[in-house]
């Protein structure tokens, strides 16, 4: 294993108060299991956020329908209410698109190239460790 990765993993182990014996034969299977759990956790959290994005679309549709009802009446107060509903609808659609697209790409990355997720996480931990040492 690369010395840099071992340093990163040692620093992580120190944070949790764990000592890792790198000569042990069960270290690599444990690291593989840990990486698998991390990828599964990322998929689960992405699914939860994807549900939040879908809920934004559902509320956007309800706001659109309320705005449409308000515009059916020619009363100025109802026209203003309709405009507010349309603005809320637009904001919810934008938020829903951003959340959904981001999480869909995260899920695809986890399924097709989980190593990228692990490498990015290790890079983040390494850069944070370097910043703490300064």
């Amino acid at each position: 294993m690369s010395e840099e990765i071992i340093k990163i993993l040692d620093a992580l182990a120190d944070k949790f108060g764990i000592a890792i014996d790198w000569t042990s034969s069960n270290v690599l299977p444990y690291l593989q299991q840990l990486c698998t759990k991390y990828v599964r956790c990322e998929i689960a959290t992405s699914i939860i956020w994807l549900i939040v994005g879908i809920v934004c679309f559902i509320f956007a549709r309800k706001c659109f329908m309320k705005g449409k009802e308000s515009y059916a009446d020619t009363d100025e107060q109802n026209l203003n209410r309709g405009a507010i509903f349309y603005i809320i609808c637009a904001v919810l659609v934008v938020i829903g698109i951003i959340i959904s697209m981001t999480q869909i790409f995260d899920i695809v990355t986890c399924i097709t190239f989980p190593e990228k997720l692990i490498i990015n996480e290790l890079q983040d931990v390494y850069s944070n460790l370097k910043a703490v040492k300064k």
Side-chain angles (χ1 to χ4, degrees):
M1 247 190 255
S2 169
E3 288 297 318
E4 295 294 319
I5 293 175
I6 291 174
K7 287 179 187 176
I8 293 169
L9 294 174
D10 279 337
L12 281 173
D14 286 343
K15 280 186 172 182
F16 295 111
I18 302 169
I20 298 176
D21 179 15
W22 293 105
T23 59
S24 176
S25 62
N26 63 352
V27 170
L28 191 57
Y30 176 72
L31 287 176
Q32 289 173 335
Q33 181 184 18
L34 186 64
C35 290
T36 301
K37 285 182 178 183
Y38 181 73
V39 170
R40 285 183 185 157
C41 179
E42 180 63 30
I43 290 172
T45 56
S46 292
I47 289 171
I48 291 169
W49 276 107
L50 189 58
I51 291 169
V52 170
I54 291 169
V55 167
C56 284
F57 288 126
I58 291 169
F59 281 125
R61 176 157 171 76
K62 289 187 183 280
C63 285
F64 180 78
M65 297 310 261
K66 287 280 190 185
K68 194 174 179 181
E69 289 173 13
S70 295
Y71 268 122
D73 190 4
T74 57
D75 182 29
E76 186 173 333
Q77 186 178 8
N78 283 341
L79 291 176
N80 291 339
R81 187 178 301 136
I84 291 171
F85 279 124
Y86 282 146
I87 291 169
I88 293 171
C89 173
V91 169
L92 286 172
V93 166
V94 169
I95 291 171
I97 288 172
I98 291 170
I99 290 174
S100 298
M101 293 307 294
T102 303
Q103 300 312 314
I104 287 171
F105 285 121
D106 282 352
I107 292 170
V108 169
T109 300
C110 287
I111 292 171
T112 59
F113 191 43
E115 295 86 1
K116 179 181 176 188
L117 184 70
I118 304 298
I119 290 169
N120 288 341
E121 185 65 26
L122 289 175
Q123 287 174 340
D124 288 346
V125 169
Y126 184 68
S127 64
N128 288 337
L129 288 175
K130 286 172 57 176
V132 169
K133 288 183 180 180
K134 288 185 180 181

